[in-house]
Amino acid sequence: MEEDLEDDSSEVFEIFDYTIASPWEQLIADMEQGLRRSGLGDGDQNLCELEYRAKGYTMMVHAHHGDGAAGFREEMFSLENFLSDDAPHTLARRFGVSQFICLTHADADIIEADEANTLLSALAVASQNTSCAVPCFVAVHSPAKKAFCGMLGAGEIMVRFDCSSSNDIPSSARHLSGLLDMFAARLGLQPAGLCQVHIGARFCFTLSRNELPPEIESVELWTSWPGFQEGRLVENPVHTDLHPMEAPLWCLKLHSSATQRPLTCKLVDMLSRVQQPRGPVVGLPLEHWQLQGSKPAPCQICPGLRGTTGHTALDLVVDELLDAPPEDALAIWVGWVECLRQRWESRSAVLALPPNPSTGALGADHSMCLAFQKLQLLDACIHLLTGGGQAAEATSDDDELFEDASDAWGSPAEGDSPPILESLRGQLGVKRDLPGLWLLSDPNQPLREPRTRVQVVLSEDLVMEEQEVLLGTDGQEARVAQQSDGLRSDMQCFKFANPGAQLEDFVRWHSPRDWVQDDQGQGKLSERMSSQDNLWHQLWSESEPIRASEQPAVLDAHAYGEAVVQWFECLSGEELAEQLFVPAFMVCTRRLITLQEGLVKDGLMGLSAGSEDWMDVCCDRLGHLEMMVAETSALSKIWPGLPRTMSAPVSYTHLTLPTKRIV
């Protein structure tokens, strides 16, 4: 018994742990993890860094404007992909695929053929395990050869890709007929069987570096024939129909060596500096920022962003901030705000802009940025405090329900007003006689348009505050009283200018669409105005004839003006950067427009402030536009007059040219 125990103890047991992954399995697992992270969005994405047998590899996904693996066969046979002028990767043009996975050596080293086959097999297994049905490629040999092998398994179809490039082109492959024979041989077909081949051709011409200005690295001119049947155009060693000057499509591709983006750098540096709460309190008088008598330019640079009208106090201080050293930015802004305070206390206008031409109202234009709206409101308050707020166009506070009288009756013309002497019109609160209208109670008395209180449009933030207060007001009557203040004021002015007038007369002026004709051609109030429960009847009966100059001001101009100045004084660094961004962006784009107007305006299309990263998007777009303007300016040195003949850019690196317009 003891001998048996001794024999058992002397035996050696070997335990194999099959739970430890082999290098091959670990490679597949790492690939699967990278593929699961891929979203196959638009652009290039680095999925992961891989290691196998002490070598490093990079796996990337390339996805550009395609339908994906579901239509890969249609994409491969599409000549549009082959002739695309913005194909970012050589595989996209060689095989017509828009989405694919590519594995390359991390150190741009050589990948041997056996090694590439091993990596491709692992990539194929990982793709199948993750249901990633897009082509997979592995770079082979030296990166300079641009050689790849690849595969795709889609259902019952297995596709194998192989490609290579060589600088030594056989003489038989230097023309179209030789290429057709070569492909026929590779496919095992006879040349006679190629009658249904659809062909796309493109020639590329490159300017050498010593012929270009320093801003441009290289220039390529592509002349293309998008598609034609074999036999329609002939190219062989003795004859060719493919003349570049007769190509239907030309494309110019620029490779810029310029990396400087001065305007973008100025914008970022300025915004970074103003966020810092330090700096001496110095500045120039506000007159330095204002162009007296200048006419504001229409804000049509970028409809998606609300900027300023141009050439105003805000534009010019931003212009100064962009050009000043970054360390002086905060000091300039603080000095400007101090001068704004002085301007307000001396009751001197800041922007000196005219009232809204369509409504006659003063105050904020909500199509502009908030800082500019505040300055407009400040000017409106100064206008009221200096006695200029009693002669505005008649408007309605309920624009959704009633038309503006000025739209129906037009502007005053010569000869419209005689029965009243001009010296008495202001005393009687009359602006003009309405042509062709007479009081219903006295057909000999003309209907007169009154001078009404000036209307002031508040800035967006104040409008929101008023709406919140209105929603929090208890009682229907209290809310109605707040909303009908403007209508009551217009009724009082109308009664003062038209003694003996009726509600019907007021409706004919204030809301002409509510004065309708019956079957006998007689005028009467509309159905909604005829109801005695209508608010207009109550307000008309309660209104007294009071001219605009004797009515209370539409708002407390002193309180609102002081609040505007305090708003500028209390801006934090982060708030200041946010408020200055759009005006500064507009100033930068105006500078670029002076160099290339059409190019810049087309490049700004589609910008808006609707996303969280909209500022970053705008800065990126500005940088791209700077590069395009620099490249176009440099290109004009090579071919004078060429930028004037170019069509709109199709991307930020390619410019499409009309056929045969370059020479």
Side-chain angles (χ1 to χ4, degrees):
M1 188 68 178
E2 292 180 357
E3 292 179 359
D4 294 339
L5 292 175
E6 290 178 359
D7 293 339
D8 293 340
S9 62
S10 63
E11 293 182 3
V12 178
F13 294 93
E14 295 185 5
I15 300 175
F16 296 94
D17 188 356
Y18 291 98
T19 62
I20 299 177
S22 65
W24 163 265
E25 293 170 330
Q26 185 61 48
L27 175 63
I28 295 176
D30 293 341
M31 289 179 174
E32 291 178 5
Q33 185 177 2
L35 291 175
R36 290 189 177 96
R37 288 200 302 264
S38 67
L40 289 181
D42 188 16
D44 299 336
Q45 179 184 357
N46 190 339
L47 296 182
C48 61
E49 300 294 330
L50 303 172
E51 184 175 350
Y52 181 65
R53 293 181 178 177
K55 290 186 177 181
Y57 304 93
T58 300
M59 186 168 69
M60 295 191 65
V61 59
H62 302 267
H64 301 275
H65 312 294
D67 297 331
F72 78 96
R73 283 179 293 179
E74 291 76 6
E75 287 185 339
M76 289 180 62
F77 291 113
S78 173
L79 290 176
E80 293 181 0
N81 293 333
F82 166 72
L83 296 172
S84 174
D85 60 351
D86 59 350
H89 197 282
T90 183
L91 289 172
R93 192 167 65 87
R94 288 182 179 180
F95 294 112
V97 290
S98 62
Q99 298 180 355
F100 56 92
I101 307 294
C102 188
L103 189 67
T104 58
H105 201 289
D107 299 326
D109 202 354
I110 296 176
I111 300 179
E112 300 296 341
D114 293 342
E115 179 185 359
N117 288 330
T118 301
L119 295 173
L120 184 60
S121 299
L123 191 54
V125 173
S127 299
Q128 184 176 4
N129 293 342
T130 57
S131 300
C132 182
V134 298
C136 300
F137 293 90
V138 176
V140 188
H141 306 304
S142 172
K145 288 184 173 294
K146 296 182 180 180
F148 297 88
C149 63
M151 65 184 304
L152 169 66
E156 300 179 354
I157 301 176
M158 178 64 70
V159 182
R160 174 79 184 191
F161 302 93
D162 286 291
C163 65
S164 182
S165 61
S166 174
N167 293 327
D168 298 328
I169 304 176
S171 59
S172 61
R174 293 181 180 273
H175 45 78
L176 181 59
S177 61
L179 290 172
L180 289 174
D181 293 339
M182 181 184 69
F183 280 104
R186 291 291 299 270
L187 296 175
L189 301 175
Q190 296 298 324
L194 294 177
C195 58
Q196 298 300 321
V197 172
H198 202 60
I199 303 170
R202 180 172 67 183
F203 294 158
C204 180
F205 303 90
T206 304
L207 283 179
S208 61
R209 187 68 180 87
N210 55 5
E211 297 176 297
L212 299 172
E215 298 90 349
I216 298 180
E217 185 72 26
S218 64
V219 176
E220 295 179 359
L221 176 62
W222 297 344
T223 60
S224 305
W225 290 260
F228 56 91
Q229 292 290 337
E230 194 273 334
R232 181 178 178 184
L233 297 177
V234 177
E235 189 195 33
N236 54 44
V238 297
H239 175 76
T240 180
D241 293 330
L242 301 178
H243 299 288
M245 292 298 297
E246 299 177 358
L249 180 63
W250 288 19
C251 182
L252 192 68
K253 183 177 181 180
L254 307 178
H255 297 276
S256 176
S257 58
T259 59
Q260 298 296 324
R261 302 178 180 181
L263 283 178
T264 307
C265 293
K266 285 183 178 181
L267 176 62
V268 175
D269 291 343
M270 184 269 288
L271 295 176
S272 300
R273 179 62 65 174
V274 298
Q275 295 183 68
Q276 303 177 12
R278 63 175 182 268
V281 182
V282 296
L284 298 172
L286 193 63
E287 286 77 4
H288 178 78
W289 314 117
Q290 184 176 359
L291 293 179
Q292 296 291 345
S294 62
K295 182 179 180 181
C299 185
Q300 298 296 333
I301 293 180
C302 184
L305 298 179
R306 303 182 305 165
T308 64
T309 58
H311 304 293
T312 64
L314 185 60
D315 295 288
L316 296 178
V317 70
V318 169
D319 207 358
E320 187 77 11
L321 287 170
L322 288 172
D323 292 333
E327 58 271 14
D328 294 342
L330 187 63
I332 292 176
W333 174 257
V334 172
W336 184 86
V337 174
E338 283 191 341
C339 294
L340 186 66
R341 161 68 66 181
Q342 297 173 9
R343 198 82 176 184
W344 159 244
E345 293 178 350
S346 64
R347 302 296 186 261
S348 301
V350 178
L351 299 175
L353 298 178
N356 188 309
S358 61
T359 65
L362 299 173
D365 181 354
H366 291 178
S367 66
M368 302 298 175
C369 62
L370 183 59
F372 192 77
Q373 293 180 38
K374 292 290 186 180
L375 293 180
Q376 288 178 308
L377 180 58
L378 182 64
D379 267 8
C381 295
I382 293 173
H383 182 76
L384 294 176
L385 291 174
T386 53
Q390 303 300 338
E393 295 284 342
T395 61
S396 170
D397 282 355
D398 198 353
D399 292 335
E400 295 183 356
L401 296 178
F402 310 108
E403 290 183 1
D404 192 332
S406 61
D407 294 337
W409 306 116
S411 302
E414 295 183 4
D416 282 349
S417 43
I420 303 179
L421 295 176
E422 193 64 32
S423 59
L424 299 178
R425 299 178 70 84
Q427 299 179 18
L428 297 177
V430 175
K431 184 177 182 180
R432 61 162 177 161
D433 294 347
L434 295 174
L437 292 181
W438 310 87
L439 288 177
L440 296 177
S441 60
D442 186 358
N444 296 321
Q445 186 67 26
L447 196 64
R448 299 187 176 103
E449 180 180 356
R451 295 181 181 270
T452 59
R453 287 190 313 182
V454 64
Q455 300 299 314
V456 178
V457 181
L458 301 179
S459 56
E460 285 181 327
D461 57 334
L462 297 179
V463 171
M464 294 293 294
E465 291 180 7
E466 283 196 346
Q467 291 178 352
E468 293 178 359
V469 171
L470 185 62
L471 293 175
T473 302
D474 296 332
Q476 179 71 17
E477 294 183 359
R479 286 195 293 269
V480 169
Q482 293 185 32
Q483 292 178 308
S484 59
D485 178 71
L487 181 60
R488 180 184 290 105
S489 172
D490 288 348
M491 287 182 174
Q492 291 173 340
C493 295
F494 186 84
K495 282 188 174 183
F496 188 88
N498 296 276
Q502 305 172 13
L503 176 61
E504 288 80 357
D505 295 315
F506 179 75
V507 170
R508 292 162 63 203
W509 164 67
H510 203 281
S511 182
R513 67 179 180 181
D514 283 303
W515 183 253
V516 297
Q517 301 290 329
D518 58 17
D519 297 337
Q520 288 74 33
Q522 300 296 322
K524 65 175 184 178
L525 293 176
S526 64
E527 183 177 353
R528 65 167 183 167
M529 283 293 180
S530 300
S531 174
Q532 292 299 318
D533 296 333
N534 191 291
L535 177 64
W536 285 44
H537 289 270
Q538 177 184 347
L539 293 178
W540 181 261
S541 62
E542 296 174 354
S543 299
E544 298 294 333
I546 305 175
R547 59 184 174 186
S549 59
E550 297 175 355
Q551 295 181 19
V554 68
L555 54 74
D556 188 342
H558 187 274
Y560 276 91
E562 180 64 26
V564 168
V565 178
Q566 291 183 9
W567 182 85
F568 280 99
E569 293 174 339
C570 297
L571 284 175
S572 64
E574 184 177 353
E575 293 170 338
L576 177 58
E578 182 178 354
Q579 295 301 325
L580 290 180
F581 180 83
V582 172
F585 182 82
M586 292 298 178
V587 168
C588 292
T589 54
R590 288 189 182 101
R591 294 185 183 183
L592 290 179
I593 284 176
T594 59
L595 302 175
Q596 288 289 338
E597 180 175 359
L599 194 68
V600 176
K601 287 187 175 181
D602 290 339
L604 291 172
M605 296 302 295
L607 282 180
S608 66
S611 59
E612 294 182 359
D613 60 343
W614 66 275
M615 290 187 182
D616 294 334
V617 173
C618 290
C619 288
D620 291 341
R621 185 71 61 86
L622 180 64
H624 282 301
L625 290 175
E626 280 196 89
M627 297 295 291
M628 289 184 66
V629 170
E631 291 171 355
T632 306
S633 300
L635 190 61
S636 65
K637 299 177 182 178
I638 306 174
W639 291 300
L642 175 62
R644 292 193 298 271
T645 68
M646 290 191 300
S647 64
V650 296
S651 70
Y652 292 121
T653 55
H654 302 79
L655 302 174
T656 300
L657 305 177
T659 304
K660 294 179 288 187
R661 288 288 189 272
I662 195 170
V663 292

